[in-house]
Amino acid sequence: MLRWRLVSSFVVLSILIGLMISDYRMLGVDRPGVWLGPLVFGFAALAVREMLDLFSGLSGAPRTTPITWTTYVGTLCIVAAWCAPIAWKPYPVDCPLGKLGWPMLAITFGIGLAFLGEMLRYREPGDVVVRVAMGMLIMVYVGVLSGFLVALRLFHSNTAGMVALISTIAIVKMSDTGAYAFGRLFGRHPMAKLLSPKKTVEGAVGGVLASILTAWLVLNILAPRWFPEVCAPQAAWRWVAYGAVLAAVGMVGDLAESLIKRDGRRKDSSSWLPGLGGVLDMLDSLLLTAPVSYACWIAGLIGPLSNG
């Protein structure tokens, strides 16, 4: 299991690094996100498939499973709306919708589509409300939350957006790694025994420490050295708070997906990534963390021009 986890992680990481370099140095100079946007779109499509599959194992399925086509279309329209500023160049500074308005319109469209699909196939009272609600959950959980990865890439400028995205992914994934390592070495006290029996309090502490260390390394060492024109070293309280907050939210995101899997009586969201599970197993901690990280950057907790 560990061997396959390492192999899968290496393959995924290699592809991601290659796309990030291409996104930053090639077309990304004028169109940040042109390489990474389609990647998020593809991941979202796979995640929708996994969510529908998980819901098929819930009590009451298949009567309570949302309509497949409306869920796919609604979710992918939301992700596409996040990518609208990538395709629209030059993006107007005074656009009344702003960069976040497009996803809001797409959410409205997705909700309406979920209701329309149920209207078209309505025959008798029963589980209509449950199906609509579950379809909306997928649209928001997958479409809205994953779209914040695109928003991070589009933050401020080509360089600043790449630093924001890299720092988020690095901190969250190193937190996962630290939690796993500390849990294996020192884990004694279960953190959420029913949801995820192998997660421990000691592992959580290790995850927070790893994330804070990663925040310091990325924001105070690597980014100022690689991008000195826009990235200044951050005050200690900034990178400590940033790392700790992202680690805590990432753990909640991890447990949130575990809750869905347990309710669907599954160990993994799918099996297409040996050792890692599925797309949701890989993205779970990032889905809730990306909006929080974006809020940290736009609020100025961490910023490319901040120095104090």
Side-chain angles (χ1 to χ4, degrees):
M1 174 65 91
L2 180 59
R3 180 184 64 181
W4 282 112
R5 179 187 291 265
L6 293 174
V7 171
S8 295
S9 298
F10 176 78
V11 172
V12 171
L13 189 60
S14 299
I15 294 173
L16 182 60
I17 291 175
L19 288 174
M20 282 185 167
I21 293 173
S22 299
D23 198 86
Y24 180 71
R25 293 189 176 276
M26 298 175 68
L27 292 176
V29 175
D30 298 316
R31 291 181 180 271
V34 72
W35 290 81
L36 295 175
L39 180 66
V40 175
F41 194 88
F43 277 163
L46 293 172
V48 170
R49 176 66 269 165
E50 292 179 357
M51 288 285 286
L52 289 171
D53 192 42
L54 287 171
F55 285 175
S56 69
L58 299 181
S59 159
R63 292 181 298 104
T64 57
T65 304
I67 299 174
T68 300
W69 73 270
T70 59
T71 307
Y72 268 110
V73 173
T75 304
L76 296 181
C77 280
I78 294 171
V79 177
W82 279 109
C83 297
I86 299 175
W88 188 352
K89 289 293 180 180
Y91 189 79
V93 177
D94 59 347
C95 178
L97 284 174
K99 292 184 178 180
L100 298 183
W102 297 106
M104 297 304 103
L105 285 179
I107 291 170
T108 304
F109 170 75
I111 292 173
L113 195 63
F115 275 109
L116 178 61
E118 291 297 338
M119 293 175 193
L120 292 175
R121 75 171 186 178
Y122 181 78
R123 295 295 180 271
E124 60 183 16
D127 303 294
V128 172
V129 173
V130 176
R131 289 194 295 269
V132 171
M134 294 176 81
M136 291 180 187
L137 172 60
I138 294 176
M139 293 179 198
V140 173
Y141 184 65
V142 175
V144 175
L145 298 187
S146 67
F148 273 97
L149 294 170
V150 178
L152 282 167
R153 179 65 186 96
L154 298 177
F155 172 75
H156 197 276
S157 66
N158 181 35
T159 299
M162 184 58 75
V163 173
L165 180 62
I166 289 176
S167 68
T168 302
I169 296 174
I171 289 170
V172 171
K173 289 307 172 183
M174 287 306 296
S175 175
D176 291 346
T177 302
Y180 177 80
F182 268 65
R184 289 287 298 268
L185 293 173
F186 310 112
R188 296 292 183 275
H189 302 88
M191 185 173 67
K193 190 173 182 179
L194 294 179
L195 287 180
S196 190
K198 294 184 179 180
K199 288 184 172 58
T200 62
V201 175
E202 292 82 3
V205 172
V208 173
L209 293 177
S211 67
I212 292 174
L213 178 61
T214 305
W216 168 78
L217 179 64
V218 172
L219 298 173
N220 272 33
I221 304 298
L222 299 180
R225 179 174 299 177
W226 292 343
F227 314 111
E229 68 279 7
V230 296
C231 298
Q234 307 290 306
W237 72 269
R238 292 180 182 274
W239 52 261
V240 169
Y242 185 56
V245 167
L246 262 59
V249 176
M251 292 176 195
V252 175
D254 195 336
L255 290 174
E257 195 234 355
S258 294
L259 179 65
I260 296 173
K261 289 189 295 185
R262 295 298 172 265
D263 205 35
R265 299 172 179 83
R266 301 289 181 85
K267 181 181 182 296
D268 297 317
S269 60
S270 70
S271 58
W272 76 278
L273 283 172
L276 294 179
V279 169
L280 285 174
D281 296 315
M282 186 172 59
L283 295 180
D284 52 5
S285 52
L286 277 171
L287 287 176
L288 282 184
T289 306
V292 175
S293 178
Y294 183 74
C296 289
W297 283 87
I298 63 173
L301 173 63
I302 297 292
L305 305 178
S306 178
N307 195 27

